[in-house]
Amino acid sequence: MTSSSSSSNAYDVPWVEKYRPSKVADIVGNEDAVSRLQVIARDGNMPNLILSGPPGTGKTTSILALAHELLGGPNCKEAVLELNASDDRGIDVVRNKIKMFAQKKVTLTPGRHKIVILDEADSMTTGAQQALRRTMEIYSNTTRFALACNTSAKIIEPIQSRCAIVRFSRLSDQEILGRLMVVVQAEKVPYVPEGLEAIIFTADGDMRQALNNLQATYSGFQFVNQANVFKVCDQPHPLHVKNMVCNVIEGNFDEACSGLKQLYDLGYSPTDIITTLFRIIKNYDMAEYLKLEFMKETGFAHMRICDGVGSYLQLCGLLAKLSLVRETAKAV
Amino acid sequence: MKGSCDLGTPKRRKAEPEEQCSPAAENTKKRKSSAKLTPRKRASKNSTPKKNSTPKKNGSAVGSPDSAWKIDLRLEAKLSAEEDSRMFAGRKIHPFFSLWKVEKQNQGQEHALSAVKREGRGITCGPIHIFENVQDGASPLDWSDWTFLDKTTVADFGTESSNLFVMEGSIESLNFDNLPSSIRPSSASSSHNAMSCSSQLSIQPDSMLEISPPNSAVLANEQAIWPLKPEDAKVDLDLEVNENTFSGHQGIFRKSDTEPLSKFLQESMRSYYHSCKGKAESSLWIHKYKPTKAFEVCGNEEAMNFLRDWLHLWHERRYPCRKGSSNRDQSNRQDDGDNYICSDSDYASEDINEKDSLQNVLLITGPIGSGKSAAVYACAHEQGFKILEINASDCRNGAAVKQKFGSTLESNHGKFKRLLDHTESPHKKTVKLLPSPALPNGIEAEEMGDGVIELITISDDEACSLGGTSPRLRGKSNVFTCGSVQTLILVEDVDILFPEDRGCIAAIQHISETAKGPIILTSNSNNGGLPDSFARLHVSFSLPLPDELLCHMYMVCVTEEVNINPLLLKNFIQSCDGDIRKTIMQLQFWFQSKKYKKDRKVQKVYGSLPFDLEACHQIIPKMLPCDYPSELSKLIEKEIANSITIMEDNSCSQGLVNKELDINERKNDLDVQFMKTDYLEAKVERIKRSLTDCSRFESQHSAISELSHCSGSLVTSSWQKDQSKHIVMSSDSEEKDPNNGHSLDVHEEVYKRHSLESNSEYLCKFQTNQAYPSTSFCKLVCSGLEDSEEERYKYVETAHDACLNETCKSFDMSCFPGTISIPETAIQNGIKPMSGPVSSGCHADPVEVSLNNELTPFTFSVCQSLDKLPQNSDSLVNTEIPESFSKAAVQNLRDGNTETSTVCNVIDECGHADFKWKSKFAESSPSMAMDMVHLWRKHRICQKDLGQHDNPELGVIQVVKLTSGLTNLISEADLLFHGHQQKQCGIMEPLMSLSDEAIYSWYYEQMMMSTVAVHGFCFYAKRISDVGSKFGFMNEVDLTSEMLACTTNVMALGNLSRQDQTKSTSIHAKKQLEVNDPTNIMKRTCLSNAIRSIIPARSSLSMKGLAFNEYISSLRQISFSEGFRISHGSENMRKRRRVAPHYLSRGRMALSPEIISLVCEGDLFRNISSQYTANMESNCT
C-alpha cells in the first residue's frame, strides 16, 4: 500500500517517536517498576539496571525518560552514552569507548552520575559482556549502567549479579486503549470503537505495534475500522479462525479443515496461524473445561512448531485433537 | 476519478448520521443519567427498555444504507456536487461531532445484536463471504463489504456480552457475602483508570465507561484475576488479627539474631555499620557496605583466615629486613618491639627457610557474587598492600602484561615506580581516597599531622597518596622514604581469556618466577584454565549460608532505616540464589528513598506476573479441604460395640474381656491398644484353663479378629490370630468330631478345610518348638511381600471381573500351593522337625496364613450357601444387585447426579452389611441361632445410620477428582515449561544471535504456556471452592496473597514490599506459625490415624468400583504429603521444589513399622490408582 501522509501533518515523524513520553510518570503500564523509577528520577543514585521484557513494553522509553529526568539540561549530551543494536559492540568498544567515557570527568549535581545506556544488550557478544563486568564495579562512583534486553538469559550471569533486574510484562488491553485514545484525539483520527478493538487485538500487549498499526491504517485508509485494520496488519483474519473453532465445537470437522486449508494456501506461516488460533480460543465462549483442554493442545502444538515441525499435516492433527477433546468432553 | 469517488462515499455516510444524531443524543443522555442514579441491581431492568426501543431504530438503520447507495449513484453523475460536499464534510470533522458518532455507533451495536438474534445462521456465512471479498477487488463488492461490517460488529458484540455473563456467573459462584463489597471497588478502579486516561476532555469519561467494560471482558487475565478479587476483603480482617503476632515475632527475631555474636565482634560490627553512614549518599550500597577488614566479610571464614594469614606472612617477610637497617625507629619502640628485634636476630636461619618455602601465587575460585574480589581488597587494605589490578576490561596481551608489571620488578628505583603508578592507575586513587572520610575524627586528625610532617621531605603528589593510607600504615611512612611500598598483583578472571589475550598466562607465570611480591588470581571455574606446571596455592570460596546472609542484610536494612519483614528479606535472598552483590542491588532498587514514599494502596494483582509453578505446588495443599471427618470409622466402632454387647449375654467371665475391649475402642490409641492386647492374651490363657467350651473359644476368636481388623495393623492381627488358633488347636479331639460330621455332606469342602488345618498345625508345632522375637516375624512379613503382592494382583484381577464363578476358580488356584504342603506335614507328623525344612516352611506359611485370612470369609460364605439351599437364592441375589449397581453408581458420580448416587451408595452399604453378616454367620456354630437374629436386626439399624452419612463421602470423591485434574494440569504445564527451558539452553550453547522473529515467537510461546496454566489453575480452584461450599466447608484461602507470598520472582517481592508493612508482615507471620504450630501436626497425625483405620474396612469394598479405591488412596497420599510438607517445608531449597511430587501418582512414604503394615494393603490401591490415572491421561489426550 502506498502511504500518503495527511496534509495536516507538518512533520512526517512516526507516531511511535512523536508520542514517546519524556517523563517517567507518563509511561503506560508496569506500575510497580515505573513507580520505583519515578523515585529514582526524583532522588538520584540510580543503581545499575537491567530492564528485561518482551518488545513494545516500554523498556527503552523508561531508560530514556529516566536519563532525561536525571540529566536533563546542558550536560545531557556529555553525560549520557547510548549504544544500541546498530552500533558495533565487540570487546574493543567496551575496552576503549565505554572505558574512556567512564574515565571522563563531567561536573554534575550531587546524586547524579553519568549513564551508559546499552539498548538491546542481549545482542552484545559474550566477550564484550565479560570485559564489562569489572568496569561496572571500578567506576561505580561516577558512572551507572542501564541495559535493556528481551531475554535476561542472554546476559551473562556476572553482569546480572552487578545489576538490579526489573522485568517488564506485556501491557493490558485497557492500558493500550487509554494511550491510543490520547493519540487519536491529538491526531484527530476518525475511528469506530471496533476499529480500535481490532488494533488492540492484533497488537496483543505490544504498544509499539499498536501505534504503528494505528498510523498505518490512518495513512492508508483515512478511517479506522475493523476491515481496514485487518487489511493493514496482514494477520489471519480472526473471524475466519473463529469459524474454524466453531466448526470444531459443532462437530463439522471437514469444514474446519477446509478453513485451515484456505489459511495455509494464503501463505500464512504456521506460527501466525497457531498464534491467532490461541488468541481466539482464549476469548471464545465455551465451557471452561473445554477451553482449558483446547488451550493445552494448542500450547503443545505451538511447542512442536517451534521445534521446526510446522507443516499443514501438523495443523490438521491439531484440529483432530481438538475434535477428540470435544468428543471426550461430551461423553463425560 | 475512482479516487475521488472513494473519498466521497464515506464522507456522505458521515454526513447523514450527523443529521440524525441530535434526537438520538438526547435519548442517550437521559439513559446515562438514569443509569448513574440507580444502583447496579436495577441496571438489569434498564436493559429491557433498550430492547424495546430497538425496533424503531431497526427501520432507520435499514433505510440508511439504501439511501446512501442512491446518493452515491447521483454523486457519480455530478462531479461538481462532490467537490462541494467534500469541503462541507471536511469542515464538520470536529471533536465534538466525533463524540456524537461514537454514541451513534454504540446504538448501532445494540440494534445489530437484536437483528442477529433473529437470524442465527447469518454469522456462519459471513466469514466465507469476506474471504471472497479479499480475493476480488471489484467495485460492486463494496456493498457486500458494508454488510460484512455490520455482521462483524454483531458477532464481536455477542461474544463480549456472553463473556460478561460468564464473568457474572463466576462471581456468583464464589463467596456470596463479599459480592457487594467486591464489585464496587473494581468498577470504581476501572472508572478511575478511564478518568485518568482521558483527563483532557470532560465529555470523554462517559464514552470511556461504556467502552472499557467490554474490552476488559476480552482479557484472559481479567478472567483469571476476577475470581480472586473478592477474597481481598477478607485479607484485611485476617491481617488485623495477626498484627499482635507480628510484633512479638519481630522481637523474637531480633533477639535470636544478635545473641550468637560475641561481644567483641558485635561491637566492631556496630561501629562498622555506623561508620558506613558517613559515606556519601550517592554511592551504591554495594560500594558503601564494601568490607574493609577481614572480619567484615560475610561467610567463608576459613578462606578469609587463610588469605589474611598468607598476606600477613608476606607482610612480615619484608618488615623485619627494613626494620633491621634503620636505627631511628628503635628509640620509638616499646618493650614488645625490643623483643621482636631479639627474636629476629635469634631466628635468622628460620627466616631464610620461610622465604624459600613461601609460595607467591594464590588462586581464588568461587561462584559469582561470593565476595572474592571484596575479600582480596579487604585483606590487602588491612595489611597495607597496594593493589595493581588487571582485569578483563584491560588489554591482557603477553607483551602488555610484561610492560605493565615490569616496573614492579625494579624494587630499588622507588621514585620511578611511584611516577609510573600515578600515571597508570588514576582511577584507583579515587577508590583509595574514599575510605578516609569513614574513619573517626581522632585518627583522621593524627593522619593530618603526619601528612604535615611529611611535607618537609616529600613532594605534593606523594603527600596526596599518603593521605589515603589507613592509620595502621603510619609506621611505614619512614619506610616509604627508603623507596618502596609492598604491592599486590591481582589478576581478575583468569579463566576468561580471549584470542586477543594470547600469551597472558605465560607472562604471568614468568612474572611470578621473578617477582618478590604476592600474586593473586581469581576465577569462577575451579581450575582457572591454568596449566598444571603453574605452581600455586588454592583457596575456594563458596556462597555464604542463608542465615549469615540474612543477618548481614538485615543489618544493612536497619542502617538504611528500611523497615522490612525478615521473612520477606529471606525471600529476596532466596530469589537471588544467595548472591551477596545481587541481593544488595535488588534491595537498593526497591527500598532506597523509602522515607519519601507516598501512601498508596497498591492493588494486589498477580495477573501481570508470569505464572510460577513452584508457588502453585505450595498452594495446592491449602486449597484442599482436608479436614473431612471420617464418620465411617465411628460407624465401624458402633458395629463392633453392638456385636460385643451381644457376647455379654453368654457368660459373666467374658464380661471382663468386653469391658477391656470397650476401653480400647474408646481410646483408639495404637500403643495403649498393643499393651492391652498383651494383657488380653494373658487373660485368654487363664480363661482357657478354666473353660473348655469350644463355642466360646470361637466367639472370642471372632471378637479378637474384629478388634484387630479395626486397629488396622497387620502384624498385630496376624499375631493374635496365630495365638487364638493355637488355643483352638490345643483341643484337637473336640474339633475333629464336627469335621467328621461335615464329611458326610460335602466331600470337597472337607478336603479344603483339612488342608488349611494341617497348615495351621504345622505352624503351631513350629511355635511350640521355638519362641521367636517379634522383629524376626516382621522380617518374615517383609520377605513375604513379593509373594503377597502377586497374590493380591490376582485378587485385583478377580475384582475387575466381579463374577462369582471366576472368583471360585481363582480361589481354587490360590489354594493349590496349600495342597503341596500336605505330604510334608504327613511325613513330619511322626518325625522330629529338622532345621532346613523348618526355615523354608517358616517363610512360606505366613504368606498362606495371610492368604487364609483373606480367603476365609469367601470360603465360608460358599460353604454356607451350599449347606442351606433355601437361603442360597436370597444371598446370591443380594450379592449380584450391589455389583450391578456399583457400575451405575460410578457413572452417576461422574455425571454429578446427587440423588441417584445417594441411593446407590445406600445400596452399596447394604451389600457391605450383608457381606459382613455372612462372614460372621459362617464363623459361628449353628447352635447360636438366637444370636444371629440379634446381629441381623442390629445391622439393619446400622444400615439406616450409614445412609445418613453419605454426603461427606460424595463431596470427598468430587474433591479428589478435581485434585487429580489440577495436579495433571500442573504436570503438563511443567512439561511445557521444561520444553521451553530446554530450548533456551540449546540456544545459548552455539552463541548465535537470534533474529527478532525467533525471539518474538520464543516469548510468545512462554506467554501461551502461562495463559494455559493460569486459566486451568483458576478453573480448578473455583470448582474446588464450589464443592467445599456445598458441603459446609468454606474455603477461606486468599489465592492472590498466597501466590504472591510463595512466588520467588523479584517483581512479586517488589509488589509485596510496596504494600503496607503490617499486611505483608502478617501474611508471612501466619505462614511461619502454620509451619511451626504443633497442634497442626497433631491434627495431621489424627487424620492419618483415621485414614489408617478406614483402610482395612474398605479393603473388602475393592470389588465395588474404582471410586472408593481412588478415594482411599488419595486421602492417604494427601495426608502423607501434607505431613511431609509441614515437617520439611522450611528446609526446602529452591531446586528441590521443582522435584515436588505429583500428589496422586507418586506417594512419598517414610518407612516406619506402622507404614510397612500399610504397604501390604496399600499395594492394592496403588495399582488401581495408577490405572485410574492412566485412564484419565488417555482421556485428556
Side-chain angles (χ1 to χ4, degrees), chain B residues 670-955:
Chain B
L670 291 177
D671 293 334
V672 177
Q673 202 168 12
F674 187 74
M675 295 178 68
K676 292 292 181 180
T677 52
D678 289 336
Y679 183 71
L680 185 66
E681 291 173 359
K683 289 240 171 179
V684 169
E685 289 179 357
R686 292 179 186 177
I687 293 168
K688 163 195 163 185
R689 295 172 186 176
S690 62
L691 296 175
T692 57
D693 190 356
C694 181
S695 62
R696 292 178 181 176
F697 286 132
E698 288 182 355
S699 64
Q700 289 176 1
H701 173 69
S702 63
I704 292 167
S705 65
E706 288 177 0
L707 178 63
S708 63
H709 200 57
C710 180
S711 66
S713 63
L714 183 64
V715 175
T716 306
S717 63
S718 60
W719 172 264
Q720 289 175 353
K721 287 180 179 178
D722 293 335
Q723 287 292 321
S724 62
K725 286 186 176 180
H726 176 70
I727 296 163
V728 170
M729 293 303 168
S730 63
S731 60
D732 290 338
S733 62
E734 292 178 357
E735 289 184 353
K736 287 182 180 178
D737 292 337
N739 290 330
N740 292 327
H742 285 291
S743 64
L744 295 175
D745 296 335
V746 179
H747 182 70
E748 292 179 356
E749 306 307 327
V750 169
Y751 177 76
K752 290 181 181 178
R753 281 194 179 183
H754 183 67
S755 65
L756 294 176
E757 289 174 358
S758 63
N759 289 328
S760 61
E761 283 181 358
Y762 182 76
L763 183 63
C764 292
K765 288 182 179 179
F766 175 76
Q767 290 176 2
T768 53
N769 291 327
Q770 295 179 358
Y772 57 91
S774 62
T775 55
S776 63
F777 188 78
C778 292
K779 290 181 180 178
L780 294 176
V781 174
C782 294
S783 63
L785 287 177
E786 292 181 356
D787 295 335
S788 65
E789 286 180 1
E790 291 179 357
E791 295 297 333
R792 288 170 184 271
Y793 184 72
K794 292 180 181 178
Y795 187 70
V796 170
E797 290 179 351
T798 58
H800 287 294
D801 294 333
C803 182
L804 188 60
N805 292 325
E806 293 181 0
T807 303
C808 295
K809 291 180 181 179
S810 67
F811 290 161
D812 292 332
M813 293 175 66
S814 63
C815 292
F816 182 71
T819 58
I820 297 171
S821 64
I822 293 172
E824 293 180 358
T825 56
I827 292 167
Q828 292 178 359
N829 282 328
I831 301 169
K832 290 182 178 179
M834 298 176 70
S835 63
V838 168
S839 64
S840 63
C842 184
H843 285 285
D845 285 341
V847 174
E848 292 186 354
V849 169
S850 63
L851 286 174
N852 293 331
N853 295 332
E854 294 288 333
L855 298 175
T856 303
F858 298 97
T859 307
F860 288 165
S861 65
V862 172
C863 295
Q864 192 63 41
S865 64
L866 290 173
D867 288 340
K868 297 184 178 180
L869 291 175
Q871 295 181 359
N872 191 6
S873 62
D874 292 336
S875 63
L876 287 174
V877 170
N878 287 327
T879 55
E880 287 178 358
I881 290 171
E883 291 173 2
S884 62
F885 275 94
S886 64
K887 292 182 180 178
V890 171
Q891 292 178 359
N892 290 324
L893 288 173
R894 289 176 182 175
D895 294 335
N897 192 347
T898 304
E899 292 178 355
T900 307
S901 61
T902 303
V903 174
C904 292
N905 282 328
V906 172
I907 295 171
D908 289 337
E909 295 302 328
C910 292
H912 177 61
D914 291 339
F915 189 78
K916 276 193 171 182
W917 177 72
K918 290 176 189 175
S919 64
K920 292 180 180 179
F921 183 79
E923 288 176 357
S924 65
S925 64
S927 65
M928 304 294 289
M930 294 300 294
D931 291 336
M932 289 296 105
V933 174
H934 289 290
L935 285 174
W936 173 243
R937 288 177 181 176
K938 293 198 173 179
H939 280 297
R940 281 186 174 179
I941 296 167
C942 291
Q943 291 171 15
K944 294 180 181 178
D945 292 335
L946 287 173
Q948 294 175 356
H949 297 289
D950 278 334
N951 287 328
E953 293 182 21
L954 183 63

Side-chain angles (χ1 to χ4, degrees), chain B residues 538-660:
Chain B
H538 181 80
V539 172
S540 64
F541 273 60
S542 62
L543 292 175
L545 296 175
D547 294 337
E548 293 175 353
L549 190 53
L550 179 61
C551 183
H552 183 69
M553 295 302 161
Y554 193 77
M555 294 302 293
V556 170
C557 292
V558 168
T559 308
E560 292 291 329
E561 296 181 0
V562 173
N563 192 10
I564 186 174
N565 187 12
L567 292 175
L568 185 60
L569 187 59
K570 200 170 187 178
N571 277 338
F572 266 103
I573 292 167
Q574 203 166 15
S575 66
C576 296
D577 293 328
D579 189 331
I580 303 170
R581 177 172 49 211
K582 193 172 181 179
T583 309
I584 296 179
M585 191 62 82
Q586 290 287 345
L587 288 175
Q588 182 179 1
F589 178 75
W590 288 105
F591 294 107
Q592 78 172 357
S593 304
K594 199 75 173 181
K595 303 172 184 176
Y596 312 106
K597 180 183 176 183
K598 298 176 182 177
D599 287 336
R600 292 182 187 175
K601 283 192 174 180
V602 178
Q603 189 178 9
K604 293 181 182 177
V605 175
Y606 188 78
S608 62
L609 298 173
F611 190 72
D612 192 353
L613 287 176
E614 299 168 7
C616 189
H617 281 293
Q618 282 191 337
I619 283 176
I620 287 174
K622 296 179 181 178
M623 287 169 53
L624 295 175
C626 293
D627 52 356
Y628 286 108
S630 61
E631 294 175 354
L632 285 176
S633 64
K634 296 178 182 178
L635 293 176
I636 292 165
E637 292 175 1
K638 287 180 181 178
E639 292 178 356
I640 294 168
N642 290 327
S643 64
I644 289 166
T645 53
I646 294 169
M647 299 307 167
E648 286 179 356
D649 297 336
N650 293 327
S651 65
C652 296
S653 62
Q654 294 178 357
L656 294 174
V657 176
N658 292 327
K659 287 182 181 179
E660 291 174 354

Side-chain angles (χ1 to χ4, degrees), chain A residues 73-198:
Chain A
N75 289 327
C76 185
K77 292 184 178 179
E78 292 182 356
V80 175
L81 174 66
E82 181 181 0
L83 299 172
N84 50 33
S86 61
D87 297 318
D88 181 18
R89 286 186 291 181
I91 187 170
D92 291 334
V93 172
V94 173
R95 283 181 170 176
N96 299 322
K97 192 170 183 180
I98 294 177
K99 201 169 178 183
M100 295 294 288
F101 176 79
Q103 291 173 352
K104 183 173 67 174
K105 294 186 178 180
V106 178
T107 304
L108 298 172
T109 56
R112 265 57 179 172
H113 307 272
K114 291 180 288 181
I115 296 175
V116 176
I117 297 173
L118 299 171
D119 202 356
E120 305 293 339
D122 45 354
S123 64
M124 292 175 71
T125 61
T126 304
Q129 295 186 34
Q130 299 283 2
L132 191 67
R133 57 197 276 187
R134 193 62 185 162
T135 303
M136 296 172 73
E137 279 189 332
I138 292 171
Y139 302 101
S140 67
N141 281 320
T142 56
T143 309
R144 303 295 163 85
F145 291 78
L147 284 72
C149 61
N150 291 121
T151 61
S152 61
K154 303 290 290 294
I155 305 293
I156 60 171
E157 197 168 343
I159 300 291
Q160 291 188 34
S161 175
R162 288 163 170 82
C163 300
I165 299 175
V166 185
R167 300 189 187 280
F168 278 61
S169 59
R170 288 180 172 273
L171 305 183
S172 65
D173 291 355
Q174 286 176 341
E175 291 164 345
I176 294 180
L177 178 62
R179 191 67 184 167
L180 287 182
M181 291 303 295
V182 171
V183 176
V184 162
Q185 296 300 324
E187 295 291 331
K188 300 178 181 177
V189 175
Y191 71 97
V192 292
E194 53 268 22
L196 293 184
E197 183 183 351

